[in-house]
């Protein structure tokens, strides 16, 4: 009687161990898959050289060296366009969107009496805070729908081009990264002195 009880207990223990084995095996396999996926993600965050890297979408994947070169040229042109947009922004700000200035009959831009009032302020922390507050309130008081819409649309265009270039750099492809840098250099080189934003500040 005791022998049969021991046999039944042994059988039950073996069954329990057999049932618990697959679950532990599946758990270890899932852990290994998660570790391998994390390793692959960490490997992507390093620069690499490849002529088959996707850009923006999986459908834009070069299949040969010619398509890869065309993609690099596209990034160069896009970076040049961004540099032109950044150089054009202060010109549009002073000539088109600036409601704080008025044009006389001789074609010269004359600013309002805000500049004279700014010069009359004394130096010091409180005076500078008051000057900044006066500048902001005076500019905000002359808010216009057309100028605000044009400025916002232009900033949206600049941000869109900039984010596209950022996505190209985030692929960590060396060719794409160097193409963006080459486009910025080329755009600045072509623009020359027009790339300096501060020269339009007092036009």
């Amino acid at each position: 009687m005791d022998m049969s009880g021991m046999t039944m207990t042994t059988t039950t223990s073996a069954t329990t161990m057999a049932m618990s084995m697959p679950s532990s095996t599946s758990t270890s396999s899932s852990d290994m898959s998660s570790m391998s996926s994390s390793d692959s993600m960490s490997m992507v965050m390093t620069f690499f050289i490849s002529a088959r890297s996707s850009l923006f979408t999986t459908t834009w994947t070069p299949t040969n060296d010619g398509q890869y070169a065309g993609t690099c040229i596209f990034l160069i042109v896009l970076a040049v366009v961004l540099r032109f947009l950044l150089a054009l922004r202060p010109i549009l700000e002073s000539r088109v969107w600036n409601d704080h200035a008025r044009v006389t009959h001789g074609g010269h831009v004359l600013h309002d009496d805000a500049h004279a009032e700014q010069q009359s302020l004394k130096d010091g922390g409180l005076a500078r805070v008051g000057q900044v507050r006066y500048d902001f309130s005076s500019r905000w008081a002359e808010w216009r729908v057309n100028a605000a819409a044009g400025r916002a649309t232009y900033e949206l265009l600049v941000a869109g081009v900039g984010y596209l270039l950022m996505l190209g750099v985030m692929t960590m492809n060396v060719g794409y990264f160097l193409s963006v840098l080459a486009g910025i250099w080329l755009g600045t080189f072509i623009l020359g002195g027009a790339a300096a934003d501060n020269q339009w500040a007092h036009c």
Side-chain angles (χ1 to χ4, degrees), residues 27-40:
T27 304
S28 61
S29 61
S30 62
D31 293 339
M32 291 177 63
S33 62
S34 63
M35 289 176 61
S36 61
S37 62
S38 63
D39 292 341
S40 62

Side-chain angles (χ1 to χ4, degrees), residues 94-95 98 101-111:
S94 61
R95 300 297 186 184
N98 190 7
R102 62 175 182 269
V103 181
T104 62
H105 63 277
H108 300 287
V109 178
L110 296 179
H111 295 275

Side-chain angles (χ1 to χ4, degrees), residues 6 16 32 40 51 71-72 79 83 87 99-100 126 129 150 152 154 171 194:
M6 291 177 61
T16 305
M32 291 177 63
S40 62
T71 303
C72 292
R83 198 63 193 89
D99 294 329
H100 194 66
L126 295 177
V129 172
Y154 195 83
T171 60

Side-chain angles (χ1 to χ4, degrees), residues 106-172:
H108 300 287
V109 178
L110 296 179
H111 295 275
D112 297 332
D113 56 351
H115 182 69
E117 295 188 16
Q118 293 172 8
Q119 295 295 332
S120 63
L121 292 174
K122 298 180 180 179
D123 293 335
L126 295 177
R128 291 173 183 174
V129 172
Q131 180 179 353
V132 172
R133 183 168 53 188
Y134 176 81
D135 289 342
F136 182 81
S137 61
S138 61
R139 289 174 182 268
W140 181 259
E142 297 182 359
W143 184 88
R144 298 293 182 271
V145 175
N146 294 335
R151 186 183 292 109
T153 304
Y154 195 83
E155 290 296 331
L156 180 65
L157 178 62
V158 172
V161 176
Y163 280 126
L164 286 178
L165 292 174
M166 182 189 70
L167 290 176
V169 172
M170 288 178 62
T171 60
M172 305 303 290

Side-chain angles (χ1 to χ4, degrees), residues 1 21 26 30-31 35 42-43 48 57 59 70 73 77 89 97-98 145 158 167 171 186 189 192 197 202:
M1 191 70 182
M21 286 290 290
S26 61
S30 62
D31 293 339
M35 289 176 61
S42 62
M43 291 175 61
F48 64 94
T57 178
T59 57
I73 293 174
V77 173
R89 179 167 54 186
W97 302 325
N98 190 7
V145 175
V158 172
L167 290 176
T171 60
L186 182 62
F189 176 78
D197 296 342
H202 303 289

